[in-house]
Amino acid sequence: MQDQHAWSGRFSEPVSELVKHYTASIGFDYRLAEVDIEGSLAHAAMLNRSGVLSDADLESIRRGMADIRDEIRAGKLEWSVDLEDVHMNIERRLTDRIGDAGKRLHTGRSRNDQVATDIRLWLRGEIDATVHLFGELQKSLLDLAEQHADTVMPGFTHLQVAQPVTFGHHLLAYVEMLARDAERMQDCRKRVNRLPLGAAALAGTTYPIDRHYTAQLLGFDDVCHNSLDAVSDRDFAIEFTAAASLAMIHLSRLSEELILWMSPRVGFIDIADRFCTGSSIMPQKKNPDVPELVRGKSGRVVGHLIALITLMKAQPLAYNKDNQEDKEPLFDTVDTLQTTLRIYADMMRGVTVKPEAMRAAVLQGYATATDLADYLVKKGLPFRDSHEVVALAVRHAEGLGVDLADLPLAKLREFSALIEDDVFDVLTPEGSLAQRDHVGGTAPAQVKVQIARHRGRLS
Ligand code: ARG
């Protein structure tokens, strides 16, 4: 059938079945249907305003598209692989319904600028939804941080006990990361929110179009100012996926910690059963599947970033079919990140903290050794000397299997006569925390200041 495709006029034979399926994108780009209709309606309104499309045609297009939208929402429109992609499926459906007016819709436009517009419209909406989800997870972390603003835990470097921190402070580190992730998305949105439509296939069009009007109708901040660039670059999608990758990496780090903390060897937290699974062979097992999957899925999103950036490499101007491959990685990036954020916000509400275990770990690790060194420095000893004194005291305590705070004052004074009985204020984990009382420090008072700041920012 010669008229099978909108473009088949110059062809002497139909494409092979294999090629038809290989080149079709309807299997995934049907997701753009609603934004495709939105874009078409704006384009039609602009053509009408510019005198290219009659009032009657615009009216028919509006009616036809409203019906098609209902059909799609009701799941009644059958997508045809013969019609290749979502754009041609909808256009054909429109023409079947309203006749010639449907055929006039594509005046002054190409699928190249149409698809670029659709992806931007779609991604803009998804960015907004994602930013909201980042906010929800941050709020969930803030609630837990608030409950544990003065719960002592060991802070680690090299995964060795380093200095006491509060669990609230530790969680706030992730709030900071997620806040930057959301900020990156919002920044990326500025570059997403520009209109390609009007670039047509690549060189613009001969009709008297008004691109600023179309942009205004679709809520774009600006138009793309070069037609070749407008239809061909997908840097905005790459940028989004890079931001999403970073967010997944942050969540992967948090996942790694949850997994570690939940290990019975550490025992700092428990995760509610609804986020865990058992083993089919080992009856005692309770596995942190959700954080493990998040850690695993981070690789998948980073993979999409590599796919998209490689997709652009070596593409000459302007549009090439390579760009059809932008959709699946982008869709899956959005789906993966959004479901991860959703489940994480819920999961953090299902975390039970075990403060005794955290405190015991602090005491086992000589976490207040730096505090003792700082104490001696404040009494006049140079830091390097005090480091040495404390190292000897730790060695002694370690030999006895006790904490520094368990050594009697007389014993401590053998290491330095500068040590007096106020030393015990800094040797306890609580004393250590309280002294780190500056912006960004782990003192409970500072943790509360940051929680309030974040809550204000998110409200
Ligand atoms: N399905 C195509 C895509 O996703 C639409 C644009 C096709 N343009 C073309 N000239 N073949 O990129």
Side-chain angles (χ1 to χ4, degrees), residues 25 29 84-85 87 111-112 115 234 319 321 323-324 326-327:
S25 54
D29 68 9
E84 205 177 313
D85 58 25
H87 322 293
R111 275 185 296 153
N112 296 351
V115 71
R234 295 292 182 266
Y319 177 85
K321 188 81 165 187
N323 282 339
Q324 180 166 289
D326 64 352
K327 288 165 203 67

Side-chain angles (χ1 to χ4, degrees), residues 185-218:
M185 297 264 162
Q186 275 161 324
D187 195 65
C188 166
R189 189 189 194 281
K190 295 181 205 156
R191 286 172 291 282
V192 169
N193 204 28
R194 293 173 193 167
L195 175 81
L197 213 57
L202 76 164
T205 176
T206 55
Y207 299 95
I209 57 171
D210 180 351
R211 299 185 63 213
H212 288 286
Y213 181 64
T214 315
Q216 188 195 323
L217 289 179
L218 292 171

Side-chain angles (χ1 to χ4, degrees), residues 255-267:
S255 298
E256 173 73 7
E257 302 219 78
L258 295 178
I259 293 161
L260 212 63
W261 294 340
M262 197 180 127
S263 158
R265 297 300 293 265
V266 177

Side-chain angles (χ1 to χ4, degrees), residues 357-379:
M358 289 183 175
R359 197 167 196 285
V362 172
L363 296 178
Q364 273 163 26
Y366 299 99
T368 57
T370 316
D371 296 271
L372 180 56
D374 289 345
Y375 169 90
L376 290 169
V377 166
K378 285 173 195 160
K379 300 242 171 181

Side-chain angles (χ1 to χ4, degrees), residues 144-156 161-171 261 266-269 353-368 371 403 426-436 442-444 447:
L144 193 59
E146 191 150 41
Q147 289 164 36
H148 295 283
D150 34 34
T151 300
V152 184
M153 75 174 280
F156 297 89
V161 172
Q163 293 172 352
V165 294
T166 67
F167 186 55
H169 191 59
H170 196 113
L171 292 174
W261 294 340
V266 177
F268 286 180
I269 61 160
V353 177
K354 300 177 177 170
E356 338 67 56
M358 289 183 175
R359 197 167 196 285
V362 172
L363 296 178
Q364 273 163 26
Y366 299 99
T368 57
D371 296 271
D403 186 46
V426 305
L427 283 185
T428 62
E430 289 74 14
S432 167
L433 292 175
Q435 300 214 64
R436 287 166 164 77
T442 190
V447 171

